[in-house]
Amino acid sequence: MRHLLPDEIDQMVDGDAGFGVAPLRAHLAECAECSARVAELTAVTDALDALPYHTPRIDFADNVLRQVQIIEPWYVALGETARRLVPRAQPMRALAAVGAGVGAIAVSGSAMWLAFQAGLTSWVFNVALDRGREELLVSAGNVAGEVLGAGGAEALAQGGLPLLAVGAAVLAGSALAAAAGFRRLVSAARAQRS
């Protein structure tokens, strides 16, 4: 004979009535262990019900929540920080808005002035171009060393970009030929299915 399941014991303790309760009551009449368990839990619930009702202090929830670590998403924390920085008084808000606008215009104007200085723009462009060229040559040397071996890397270093262009053209031609071959295979397979 099986004992009552926890949810069935809960039904008996709660005093539920309904279609499935009669077999559970019949089991309690026959099983001393289940009957004792229901009696223990009923005594506990009766003792809890007999306790006087207590109204917590007004700040109880705030005190508890202060001790709970809540993880906020970054955008919520950023919004809360921004709200704390905005003044509450209307005149101070207007003053803060004017100050933020003047600051934004000053920063934007300074950035525009620096960006349109011919010497600075030219210098930044030349530095970027030189670094890009150096990185391209180093990368090409590494690729040539891996693909062509040490001799190919030396030839690239001596021949420079023309050898790289020839290698790229050969590689592109091979890729196009492979794509055309695969395309023919696919069309031949489709023709056979039809």
Side-chain angles (χ1 to χ4, degrees), residues 116-193:
F116 288 112
Q117 292 297 315
L120 181 62
T121 305
S122 167
W123 177 77
V124 168
F125 179 76
N126 286 334
V127 167
L129 188 64
D130 288 343
R131 286 194 181 167
R133 190 177 322 141
E134 288 173 10
E135 290 296 323
L136 179 65
L137 287 176
V138 168
S139 299
N142 290 341
V143 169
E146 291 293 324
V147 174
L148 304 174
E154 289 176 22
L156 180 64
Q158 292 173 357
L161 288 178
L163 181 61
L164 179 63
V166 169
V170 168
L171 185 61
S174 301
L176 287 174
F182 283 130
R183 199 165 183 176
R184 277 193 173 174
L185 284 173
V186 168
S187 34
R190 284 183 184 162
Q192 280 184 341
R193 285 185 196 164

